[in-house]
Amino acid sequence: MRGYLVANDPVRAAAFARSLDTIDEVIEDLGPRRQSDTLTVSTRADLDVVQAGAWGNLISVSDPAFVDDGNGMPLLAEATRLRKRFQNFTVETV
C-alpha cells in the first residue's frame, strides 16, 4: 500500500520521546489527533506538551523545547545527537 502509514504505535512514540534530552518524563498519552489539528501555546504549561508518533519506520516529534532561543540551536543539537545514536537512519529537521 503505497502512500499509507501503518497505525501509530503509542508505546514506541512514548519511548522515543523519553529518549530525548528535553523530556524528563512522559506523564500521559493525550490520544490521537488529526494532522490538521494545531496546538496553540498560550500558557507556560502548554510548553510541556510534546507530540510524538511512530508509524512503522517513521518517528516524529514536535517539542516546544526545540525552538531557537537566540542563545543556541536546540533542534540542531538534538538532531546531531540523534544522528550519532542512529547512524543507519536519516534524521531530518524541519
Side-chain angles (χ1 to χ4, degrees):
M1 265 195 244
R2 189 178 181 132
Y4 293 94
L5 293 174
V6 298
N8 179 49
D9 182 344
V11 174
R12 277 188 55 230
F16 178 70
R18 279 187 204 93
S19 77
L20 301 173
D21 284 347
T22 59
I23 306 293
D24 291 327
E25 180 181 356
V26 175
I27 298 171
E28 67 178 309
D29 181 345
L30 299 176
R33 68 173 192 85
R34 291 186 308 209
Q35 181 180 357
S36 60
D37 294 343
T38 58
L39 291 178
T40 303
V41 177
S42 55
T43 68
R44 190 165 182 85
D46 292 337
L47 295 173
D48 290 334
V49 177
V50 173
Q51 300 173 49
W55 305 270
N57 63 354
L58 174 67
I59 298 175
S60 175
V61 66
S62 176
D63 183 348
F66 291 146
V67 174
D68 189 352
D69 60 3
N71 295 321
M73 301 178 80
L75 181 57
L76 179 60
E78 187 66 31
T80 300
R81 190 181 76 78
L82 288 170
R83 283 187 185 106
K84 289 178 184 174
R85 183 172 165 212
F86 300 105
Q87 294 180 11
N88 294 330
F89 295 90
T90 300
V91 177
E92 292 187 19
T93 58
V94 201

